[in-house]
Amino acid sequence: RLFQRRNGLVVDGKVGDQTAAAIGITLSGKSYTGSGGGAASGDVYLLACAVHAEARGEPYTGMVAVAAVILNRVDSPLFPNTIAGVVYQPGAFSSVDDGSINLAPTEQSIRAARDALNGWDPSGGSLYFYNPAKSTSRWIYSRQVVTVIGGHRFAI
């Protein structure tokens, strides 16, 4: 209630869509469905592989944010409209170029992928992320940073 009061929200003591958004999470996520309803197991696994390859060693929230960026791209008309299309888009992810996308994901990476698929987006709707200590692209620095989590900058 104190958080809601301090942020000019309706004070009801419940974490609804507006309170969740003020915290930086989304309660109602998009559905990425496969044949069994819910996310297709191949999508969960590929997303978890991307999270593991791109965000291992980062805080859990940062791992979820990396997965969310991929899902935000799926939803954007600027990118392919499937998880595989986004992950394997030429030049998009260094983990594809260096082969680390093929490493087996950890349970934590799988949980992070599922959390993102269930609508948690700590990236704030970002379409890009990068680690300034590792990035070789000058272009990425032109993007507006939305949030910083661990070693990653999340940008639009």
Side-chain angles (χ1 to χ4, degrees):
R1 291 175 193 255
L2 180 61
F3 177 85
Q4 290 172 324
R5 199 173 1 260
R6 285 183 177 169
N7 288 279
L9 302 167
V10 173
V11 180
D12 61 4
K14 298 177 184 174
V15 181
D17 287 338
Q18 289 182 337
T19 300
I23 294 169
I25 61 175
T26 304
L27 296 179
S28 56
K30 299 266 193 273
S31 175
Y32 299 87
T33 57
S35 57
S41 63
D43 282 347
V44 174
Y45 189 80
L46 177 58
L47 189 58
C49 286
V51 167
H52 179 71
E54 294 285 340
R56 65 182 175 273
E58 291 293 321
Y60 184 74
T61 303
M63 296 172 77
V64 177
V66 165
V69 165
I70 293 168
L71 298 178
N72 292 340
R73 287 184 180 194
V74 170
D75 291 337
S76 169
L78 303 174
F79 296 93
N81 63 359
T82 65
I83 291 172
V86 166
V87 169
Y88 291 111
Q89 185 176 22
F93 296 102
S94 60
S95 62
V96 172
D97 297 337
D98 70 18
S100 61
I101 188 74
N102 299 314
L103 297 172
T106 62
E107 283 300 316
Q108 187 177 39
S109 297
I110 294 168
R111 280 194 317 275
R114 286 189 178 132
D115 278 347
L117 284 161
N118 285 326
W120 183 18
D121 183 1
S123 82
S126 294
L127 293 174
Y128 307 98
F129 66 91
Y130 64 97
N131 184 328
K134 298 179 182 177
S135 180
T136 58
S137 167
R138 295 270 134 281
W139 175 85
I140 196 67
Y141 292 103
S142 71
R143 310 312 304 168
Q144 177 187 344
V145 174
V146 174
T147 191
V148 176
I149 304 170
H152 282 130
R153 308 295 183 259
F154 293 86
I156 52 174

